[in-house]
Amino acid sequence: MEYIASEKGDSSENRDPNLLANGTSKSVAENKPVVESEKTHIEAPAEAAACSSETTEDTELCEIPEQIEFTIVFNKAKHDITFAYDATVLDLKAHLERICGVPQSAQKLIIKGMARDNMTLRQAGVVKGGKVMLVGSKMDDILAMKSGPQETLEEKASSQSSKEPLCMQKIHRKVLDKGIPPDVMPGIKGVKEPLPPVPLSGMLNKHGGKVRLTFKHEQDQLWIGTKERTEKLAMASIKSITSEPIKEHEEYHIMGLQLGPTEASRYWVYWVPAQYIEAIKDAVLGVWQLF
């Protein structure tokens, strides 16, 4: 057959001039390359279409996780964070290590109490616009702390020989020059005794006021009492204890309780009976303390 007839008949008058001998429309034949090129162009995003169709079956494949906005507070700095709500606390710690420089292992996140690593932010109680406290030390600080004690001991050893005795320093002389308090407990040189069952009393503080020390072993506290008030200190908060015999009165010591990170935080007590010095250090710092 050399042509396709129209619906009106098979006559030559009714032949469609736009039909070719093989039955293909002339306009279709002319546009065929264009259609094929368009087909090639459309098939390129086939994977994306597949993802769309798969998304209807499993929405997790292409769905963006729910995000939560909150603030991380570290030292005095604040960091605005946007993070996946169902990510774990451990994931957040990895992110914060890059931002704050605190190793994951050294981080503690305070949300509603201490947040556990395997909890999600949702489970831990993070809320939009809320604050999360980051507690920890940067790597440089950790390394400095590890090398610090040895350096401190070396500095102390080199400076002790030339350092003026405590009892000769002006800040202490103004208290010591008042003499031994009349109601202080008797001191004994060269003897070590356990703490008595009663508070150590009759001693003086840096202002020259009376002070007494009460050791509450069951509460792990040291009570420092003055005429005005009584301070209840956790023994763990006392960093170190310094003591030195008072010249010409070696049965008594000057004793400094370091309550903060530097020596400037020392609380000075004068006329402490010498026989109780070691027992005080053992009670507060533990028997493992070195000095």
Side-chain angles (χ1 to χ4, degrees):
M1 185 182 232
E2 296 180 353
Y3 61 89
I4 301 289
S6 69
E7 292 180 357
K8 291 183 179 180
D10 199 14
S11 62
S12 59
E13 304 92 282
N14 294 331
R15 292 175 184 168
D16 189 342
N18 292 324
L19 294 178
L20 300 178
N22 61 0
T24 304
S25 171
K26 182 177 181 182
S27 60
V28 172
E30 292 174 349
N31 294 330
K32 188 173 182 179
V34 177
V35 172
E36 289 178 351
S37 65
E38 289 178 353
K39 182 178 180 181
T40 303
H41 178 72
I42 293 172
E43 287 176 351
E47 294 182 1
C51 180
S52 300
S53 62
E54 288 176 5
T55 302
T56 59
E57 297 177 359
D58 189 354
T59 55
E60 292 182 0
L61 291 178
C62 298
E63 184 179 286
I64 298 176
E66 181 181 356
Q67 304 290 301
I68 183 74
E69 298 176 356
F70 55 95
T71 300
I72 291 289
V73 180
F74 176 56
N75 292 336
K76 295 182 180 180
K78 295 182 179 180
H79 304 276
D80 294 327
I81 302 292
T82 300
F83 212 71
Y85 205 9
D86 291 310
T88 64
V89 171
L90 188 60
D91 294 333
L92 178 59
K93 285 183 176 182
H95 182 63
L96 295 178
E97 181 174 354
R98 296 189 292 270
I99 295 176
C100 303
V102 180
Q104 292 184 48
S105 58
Q107 292 183 33
K108 293 182 180 178
L109 295 180
I110 310 299
I111 302 172
K112 291 181 178 179
M114 191 76 68
R116 298 193 302 272
D117 286 349
N118 60 348
M119 298 174 67
T120 65
L121 302 191
R122 190 191 303 272
Q123 293 169 339
V126 177
V127 296
K128 183 177 181 180
K131 293 182 179 180
V132 175
M133 185 74 67
L134 170 60
V135 180
S137 299
K138 295 184 177 181
M139 183 58 69
D140 292 344
D141 297 333
I142 293 173
L143 295 175
M145 289 174 64
K146 288 183 177 179
S147 59
Q150 182 64 30
E151 294 173 359
T152 302
L153 289 174
E154 291 174 356
E155 291 173 2
K156 185 175 180 180
S158 62
S159 62
Q160 268 185 341
S161 58
S162 60
K163 188 176 181 181
E164 188 178 22
L166 293 174
C167 61
M168 301 303 294
Q169 294 177 19
K170 184 177 180 181
I171 187 175
H172 303 303
R173 287 292 345 155
K174 64 180 182 180
V175 179
L176 297 176
D177 286 345
K178 295 179 180 181
I180 302 175
D183 53 349
V184 71
M185 300 176 72
I188 306 174
K189 178 182 176 181
V191 175
K192 296 180 182 179
E193 293 185 357
L195 291 172
V198 297
L200 300 181
S201 60
M203 301 167 292
L204 303 179
N205 59 21
K206 67 178 182 179
H207 303 295
K210 293 294 181 65
V211 63
R212 66 184 178 277
L213 301 178
T214 306
F215 296 86
K216 295 288 185 177
H217 300 287
E218 67 281 1
Q219 301 174 30
D220 200 30
Q221 291 181 342
L222 171 60
W223 293 8
I224 302 177
T226 63
K227 183 179 179 180
E228 294 78 19
R229 60 184 178 179
T230 297
E231 293 288 348
K232 300 180 180 181
L233 303 176
M235 291 187 184
S237 68
I238 301 174
K239 310 301 182 185
S240 66
I241 297 178
T242 300
S243 65
E244 188 177 292
I246 299 173
K247 188 177 181 180
E248 297 180 357
H249 297 282
E250 284 79 6
E251 69 273 22
Y252 292 102
H253 280 225
I254 300 173
M255 184 174 70
L257 306 174
Q258 187 169 322
L259 307 180
T262 65
E263 294 182 359
S265 64
R266 284 176 176 168
Y267 184 94
W268 292 104
V269 182
Y270 303 87
W271 305 106
V272 182
Q275 69 269 27
Y276 299 132
I277 290 295
E278 292 304 316
I280 291 172
K281 292 180 179 180
D282 289 347
V284 174
L285 303 176
V287 295
W288 51 266
Q289 53 91 18
L290 300 177
F291 54 87

